[in-house]
Amino acid sequence: MGRADYDIETGAPDGLEKRRPFEDETGAVPGESFEVGDSWYARTQRFAGRFKIEQRGIERVPEDERTDSSLIKVGTMVDGTPEKWLATNMVVSSFALGALAVTVFKLGFVDSLLTILFINILGITPVCFFSTFGPRFGLRQMVLSRFYFGFYGVKIIAIFTLLACIGWSSVNVIVGAQLLHAVNNNLPGFVGIIIIAAATFIVTMFGYKVVHLYEFWSWIPCFIIFLIVLGEFAHSGKFNNLPMGVGRSETGSILSFASSVFGFATGWTSIAADYTVYQPASSSRVKVFAWTFAGLILPLCFAEMLGLAVATATVTTPEYLASYEESHIGGLLAAVLLPPLGRFGQFCLVVLALSVIANNCPNIYSLSLSLQVLGRWTQNVPRFIWTFVGTLVYVAIAIPGYAHFERVLENLMLLIGYWLAIYEGVAISEHFFFKRGFLGYRPEIYNQPSKLPPGIAAIGAFCFGVVGAVLGMAQVWFVGPIGKHIGLPGFGGDIGFPLAFAFSAVTYIGFRTLEVQHFGR
């Protein structure tokens, strides 16, 4: 029987789910089994194997295949360690986020600096925490989420993850295309988008090892160029230590900027375990957490604080403001690099534009895994094909968005970001109050619906979390009834994230208690 002929959602007559072909008693599937058989799936996987393309999707990784013991890679993101996160966040998108403190939220320098530091620490903590699950269980993050939302409820969470991955990829590639346009005004935006998207696809198509290998090195030139930006900007004397605001206006702006920073930092939570599944089960959870934390906090704070510092010049320096208004972040960086460095400055901008590849790699790689969670037929499509489909979709969104909808896309991403606080409220509550730690999990049942939580409590709590987000949000197009009381009238202050977390966590504990009493699981 070929894999494509097997339905993982069909239960046996006695109510027990059938095991997948080649699946052992722990629920793990050996890597060599993906090529066995004569189904379309097996033939496609054999073809992929000739080019060393990763064949594994959301199947559990056997312990004997979790052989990457290099913890330094966790933060940089090579074979599951820190380099990935270092490369993913040492990018122009992080620089752009820091600049928003001045260009959008009209904050001072010191208050923005402190917000970047402490909110990033808060936002990355869940990412570090869930990264420790990959080595222990060998399961991807969306598959782990079945232990919180149930086998069927997690499909809703996977859809939100898909929307976030596609949306962020669209926004990121627009930023990169703007940089390329700043270098060559004759280069249309859509060409820049296609160049960056194609390069991202090539890396993500080959999968886990190539993604990590690329990101092991890609942060280095970006870091060097950011140091050049720092040196040239400091030498220019254009830095402006903007004073801190006071009153309701300051409160509202700080909270809204904090929401943007939190959403960006915590955005990796729903895919965190995807990049540690090949780490040995014996890996120290403390070390995995610490390396992930280091790989996230250093590039996020450095790039965002640099963007903040450079953006202060737009307040007092007309040429900086004109460049920003004409080409956004690309123009701002061009104002720093091009006058003193000329063609070398253009080269630096091109490298920064291509840094978006590192930022989009985890989005597109994990998008393919989230798609496989949606159903039998999506899992029976090889991962690398979904990578290609996802690339086409976000390019189709980004090309019109380059000229007309960038602001809409940014607001949409903030809206999608609220769900991460809800996800964290449910998952963390389940882990500590009901699973009572890692020993409460039975990873071998990850694909057995009748043994997983029903998911009713999680979906109910999710709905209440949405209510909390709506009450506290402060967006251009809507200000919630609680959010409007913070900040200036008509603008408010965004507390959607903390309310979404609190509403979902509190209601989940209540609902889950009743669910366990009724269903016994």
Side-chain angles (χ1 to χ4, degrees), residues 61-63 65-74 78-82 131 134-138 208 275-284 288:
V61 182
E63 287 198 25
E65 294 185 29
R66 296 180 226 166
T67 56
D68 180 26
S69 58
S70 176
L71 282 172
I72 193 174
K73 298 175 183 177
V74 173
V78 178
D79 291 338
T81 41
S131 291
R136 182 64 179 267
F137 301 126
Y208 183 94
Y275 302 98
T276 54
V277 292
Y278 288 100
Q279 290 284 305
S282 59
S283 298
S284 167
V288 171

Side-chain angles (χ1 to χ4, degrees), residues 130-131 133-134 139-141 144 268-269 271-277:
F130 286 111
S131 291
F133 284 60
L139 294 171
R140 311 284 189 169
Q141 189 66 44
L144 280 169
W268 309 113
T269 300
I271 63 175
D274 293 358
Y275 302 98
T276 54
V277 292

Side-chain angles (χ1 to χ4, degrees), residues 139-160:
L139 294 171
R140 311 284 189 169
Q141 189 66 44
M142 279 297 101
V143 179
L144 280 169
S145 301
R146 290 173 177 173
F147 291 95
Y148 316 130
F149 290 87
F151 189 89
Y152 299 102
V154 78
K155 299 177 192 298
I156 298 175
I157 304 305
I159 290 172
F160 276 91

Side-chain angles (χ1 to χ4, degrees), residues 417-490:
Y418 290 123
W419 85 268
L420 288 166
I422 302 173
Y423 176 87
E424 291 162 4
V426 170
I428 292 173
S429 297
E430 173 68 25
H431 179 81
F432 286 104
F433 288 96
F434 297 96
K435 294 289 189 291
R436 299 187 183 276
F438 288 89
L439 295 178
Y441 292 83
R442 296 172 55 200
E444 68 275 6
I445 67 169
Y446 76 93
N447 61 356
Q448 301 180 42
S450 68
K451 296 180 181 179
L452 291 165
I456 300 171
I459 298 303
F462 188 93
C463 294
F464 274 89
V466 171
V467 172
V470 171
L471 291 174
M473 71 169 54
Q475 298 292 323
V476 174
W477 43 270
F478 179 78
V479 180
I482 296 179
K484 72 178 181 181
H485 292 293
I486 305 169
L488 295 176

